[in-house]
Amino acid sequence: MAGNDWINSYLEAILDVGPGIDDAKSSLLLRERGNFSPTRYFVEEVITGFDETDLHRSWVRAAATRGPKERNTRLENMCWRIWNLARTKKKLEVEEAQRKANRRLEHERGRREATADMSEDLSEGEKGDLVGDGSARGDRISRRMPRINSVDIMENLANQLKEKKFYIVLISLHGLIRGESMELGRDSDTGGQVKYVVELARALGTMPGVYRVDLLTRQVSAPDVDWTYAEPTEMLSPRTTENSMQELGESSGAYIIRIPFGPKDKYIPKEMIWPHIPEFVDCALSHIRQMSKVLGEQIGGGEPVWPVAIHGHYADAGDSAALLSGALNVPMLFTGHSLGRDKLEQLLKQGRQSREEINTTYKIMRRIEAEELSLDASEVVITSTRQEIEEQWRLYDGFDPILERKLRARIRRGVSCHGRFMPRMVVIPPGMEFHHIVPHDGDMDGDVERNEENSTSPDPPIWSEIMRFFSNPRKPMILALARPDPKKNLTTLVKAFGECRPLRELANLTLIMGNRDSIDEMSGANASVLLSILKLIDKYDLYGQVAYPKHHKQYEVPDIYRLAAKTKGVFINPAFIEPFGLTLIEAAAYGLPIVATKNGGPVDIHRVLDNGLLVDPHDQQSIADALLKLVSDKHLWARCRQNGLKNIHLFSWPEHCKTYLSRIVMCKPRQPRWQSSDVGFENLETNSPGDSLRDIQDLSLNLKFSLDGEKSEGTGTGALDNSFDIDDSVDRKSNLEKADLKFSKGAIGSLMEKAGQHFGGGRFPAMRMRKCIFVIAVDCDSVSDIPKVIRTIMDAAGKENPIGFILSTSLSVSEVHSILISGSISPLDFDAFICNSGGDVYYPSLSSEDGLGLPFTVDSDYQSHIEYRWGGEGLRKTLVRWAASINDKNGQTVEENESRSTTHCYAFRVKDPELVIYPLHKRSPFFVFHFFYTFRE
């Protein structure tokens, strides 16, 4: 070819130069030896990696020179320049390949992380059991959905938990909650969360190892709601008992416990619940304590059976669960369902309301505060999707995904986290009950249709209620099931349907938008959406093509799905963002292909089921195209239907509960826990030595042996021994009470030291043996008055009773010791000392520890607790600025007292307290101003 003449001349040049060289030798050495063949090097090293147009241009430029010697030199230079270019190109290709690989690894990290999180605490044998489906598709699903394990793992879990008898507490405060005939869609508070928590409680109640599940909610006695919501207790009957391995008992199973709090005769929205949460916590705490005692008598051998976990659902329940978890010292779990910061950002983007108006309407800042508290108190935060973690929870101060991974790695390696803690984020998609659904393999359309044609049972009433809207009810049905909330994006769906004529000709549209009697009685936002939909139906003249029934029962929802599947229809969820999308799982279980939003949980569902299409909820044309594609392409419709039915079992409640319980088993209480002793105090945990004559007598015998042994070693307890050698003619009860007092002041200290050495830390919680504790908080104008105040309170309380005393003050521990010595008060008269306005906690000790040189031992657990997320320096700077602002107005009134300040307590001296807090000064007879502040971020 004419365009390749340069190749012929190139080959002639190769023949002229002669044989080539060894490729392994350095080209620099070849040049020095004079044996370098630039043309052969050019052919072998460059020609295969470049476009021939570029090579031809280089050859023409090299061949244009005159003289063979000069030509070879120029050609050699050109070859080297092109070779450098080739090397650079290869380097760029390698870097691009690495970038693509990194992006691919980052994309897969979310899928693998759940597997790593779940398997990190399993043994090697258990890890080996994590197998997937035998098919290639099953292997991919197993990697994508790590929560799906084999039946062997389920059996192993059952064997591990069969001896357990867990008591689990779930909390969901808002909405109307009952076990049957749930009024989903009645209002914005009674939606998917209500169904989820009820079904979760029901499913957990049938799991092996779970004895009782309590779902705590609000008791509603309002006249505008059904009377069943006022029943204090409702048992949740299991859907099926064939696979239940639970041991039944008198109080076993799952229950809805309705606790009265808030307005007695009024059903209030969730935004109005916040002021009543303390009332709920008090009543819930009373119920849990009473139930723990009852369960203790049934299955605990007389010892209370406390909840293994408390799980709060939504921010209001999370706030309550955090308080209950701290009071009972049990692990807390939290599920946000819908997060406040994400909702705030969405509302601000809409631009319809200011931040202040949003807060007034939704109490959004109180909700965010509760979510932050729940993050701090939770051991595990359960989410339905990875997107919820990466895009929503990362907006909160209490969680950072990168730092959380680092802390988790440090914990696994046993490295100190320096008091930092973040909850474990666990993805556990909600489950579904499939006992009434039989999945089919292959193409089942023919069988289903034959069964339906031959059936003699009448059609469900809801079918006629829907089909009366249609002029041609045999067309495929596009089904949307959601309340008329703006975020559900139903108006965009109606627009897409109305503006796409081919779609209107092929299908009908059914909108199940909750229950309503009158639009005027609906909430403002819901009524606005419904009116917009009705206007759109009129605008596009969709009469006879769109159904929007006013009422339906919860038990009729499966029939609605069946009707859509019978007409070869499609289910759609066009929400702007969907936290999970439980309706997508339900639709797939009944054989409906799906069209769903690409924002949120549907992405994970589609990745597992592969039974439909994802769309941009803001793109009206994209929604119409996806619906039209599924309705018009019967082969695609059948394939999506088959995929959904084949893989739907991966979202069953047993799978969900199995993963749920495995997380609970791994939970450990974060808060410091009082530890019991191994040296003879087991029976004193709830009873004081002075409770009864028999208790004191038994105790005196036990102490006799212990003290005799110590006396022989010269421990100086002989005087105490003599107190037990009492004469029978003397009043035995009186002497034993005196011996008890002497025991509590002296001998117990020695035994405390022995117990403290056993536990580490040299302290023993004496208040565990108390039935009553007096906290004496004293900060008087005159320090010399403090001993007098202490003695007055102690005398009024009486020392003969089994009571204890705790001293709380703004003074340091050394100042406290000096005051006690000046008043001839023994530190052993107190069970604990709260010093520096809560900055430190000490216990009395018979020997000085921790370099104090004083008879006190510091509570290291409390120090570790208060050090967590301590923002002391930032607080101090804020207080200094505050003092400067006061001084600018009133002169040098407030100044920092560095000598009185400690690590967790900052002191300020005020010359004229009336200029700072005048009202408080006028009411306080013993007022003196100390600005001590213990700050927790």
Side-chain angles (χ1 to χ4, degrees), residues 129-231:
D129 289 332
L130 293 172
V131 297
D133 198 317
S135 64
R137 169 70 184 170
D139 292 339
R140 289 195 298 271
I141 293 176
S142 178
R143 289 193 297 270
R144 290 173 176 176
M145 205 64 187
R147 72 183 188 89
I148 306 303
N149 293 327
S150 65
V151 177
D152 294 337
I153 294 297
M154 187 62 189
E155 293 177 353
N156 291 338
L157 180 66
N159 293 332
Q160 294 173 11
L161 298 180
K162 65 180 179 180
E163 301 298 330
K164 304 289 185 181
K165 291 182 172 60
F166 288 155
Y167 172 34
I168 300 174
V169 174
L170 310 179
I171 303 176
S172 182
L173 298 184
H174 64 262
L176 297 172
I177 297 180
R178 62 184 179 187
E180 304 296 337
S181 300
M182 289 176 277
E183 300 181 77
L184 302 182
R186 182 186 188 275
D187 52 66
S188 59
D189 293 347
T190 309
Q193 175 186 331
V194 169
K195 183 175 183 180
Y196 169 75
V197 294
V198 171
E199 295 302 329
L200 173 62
R202 195 194 307 270
L204 286 174
T206 62
M207 291 296 290
V210 178
Y211 188 79
R212 182 181 174 96
V213 179
D214 280 348
L215 171 55
L216 307 185
T217 187
R218 180 170 179 256
Q219 186 182 43
V220 182
S221 303
D224 57 337
V225 301
D226 194 78
W227 63 271
T228 55
Y229 299 111
E231 290 295 310

Side-chain angles (χ1 to χ4, degrees), residues 831-847:
D831 293 325
F833 299 88
I834 303 174
C835 301
N836 297 319
S837 295
D840 297 287
V841 174
Y842 296 89
Y843 301 98
S845 175
L846 295 181
S847 60

Side-chain angles (χ1 to χ4, degrees), residues 567-812:
T567 62
K568 299 186 183 298
V570 177
F571 181 83
I572 180 169
N573 183 338
F576 289 117
I577 183 169
E578 184 62 53
F580 180 66
L582 192 59
T583 53
L584 297 174
I585 304 296
E586 294 175 343
Y590 289 95
L592 276 174
I594 64 171
V595 173
T597 175
K598 67 177 184 179
N599 299 329
V603 177
D604 292 336
I605 295 175
H606 180 266
R607 183 180 297 122
V608 176
L609 297 182
D610 191 21
N611 68 329
L613 302 172
L614 299 179
V615 296
D616 181 357
H618 301 277
D619 189 346
Q620 177 179 314
Q621 187 60 43
S622 174
I623 295 175
D625 292 343
L627 291 171
L628 182 60
K629 184 175 182 180
L630 279 172
V631 170
S632 60
D633 189 342
K634 297 303 179 182
H635 295 289
L636 176 62
W637 186 93
R639 185 168 67 252
C640 290
R641 173 188 174 100
Q642 181 179 355
N643 288 344
L645 289 173
K646 180 178 65 175
N647 302 321
I648 194 64
H649 69 280
L650 303 179
F651 291 95
S652 66
W653 274 118
E655 288 286 341
H656 178 95
C657 293
K658 176 207 62 176
T659 309
Y660 183 95
L661 292 175
S662 69
R663 290 300 172 183
I664 288 183
V665 170
M666 291 187 291
C667 283
K668 295 181 180 179
R670 267 190 333 187
Q671 299 86 353
R673 168 177 290 181
W674 294 124
Q675 304 181 58
S676 59
S677 171
D678 293 337
V679 290
F681 285 95
E682 294 88 344
N683 297 328
L684 302 180
E685 186 169 316
T686 58
N687 296 318
S688 171
D691 288 345
S692 67
L693 180 63
R694 186 186 65 181
D695 291 340
I696 298 176
Q697 181 178 359
D698 295 342
L699 181 62
S700 67
L701 295 176
N702 291 334
L703 288 174
K704 177 74 175 179
F705 298 118
S706 174
L707 297 174
D708 282 342
E710 294 181 1
K711 179 180 178 181
S712 63
E713 297 176 4
T715 55
T717 56
L720 186 63
D721 273 328
N722 294 334
S723 67
F724 290 98
D725 296 333
I726 52 179
D727 186 54
D728 292 338
S729 61
V730 183
D731 183 7
R732 186 174 185 83
K733 180 177 179 180
S734 175
N735 287 334
L736 285 175
E737 289 177 348
K738 293 179 180 179
D740 170 46
L741 289 177
K742 188 171 292 188
F743 160 76
S744 64
K745 296 296 187 293
I748 193 172
S750 176
L751 292 180
M752 283 181 184
E753 293 301 315
K754 293 173 64 178
Q757 293 173 5
H758 175 75
F759 297 127
R763 63 174 175 82
F764 184 81
M767 64 277 293
R768 279 180 63 88
M769 297 185 298
R770 308 297 190 188
K771 287 198 172 181
C772 181
I773 294 287
F774 280 83
V775 179
I776 305 175
V778 288
D779 282 306
C780 305
D781 287 315
S782 176
V783 176
S784 60
D785 293 336
I786 293 181
K788 181 180 179 181
V789 174
I790 293 175
R791 286 195 174 278
T792 301
I793 296 175
M794 284 185 166
D795 292 340
K799 295 187 178 181
E800 286 82 6
N801 297 323
I803 61 176
F805 297 95
I806 296 177
L807 182 62
S808 176
T809 176
S810 63
L811 303 176
S812 65

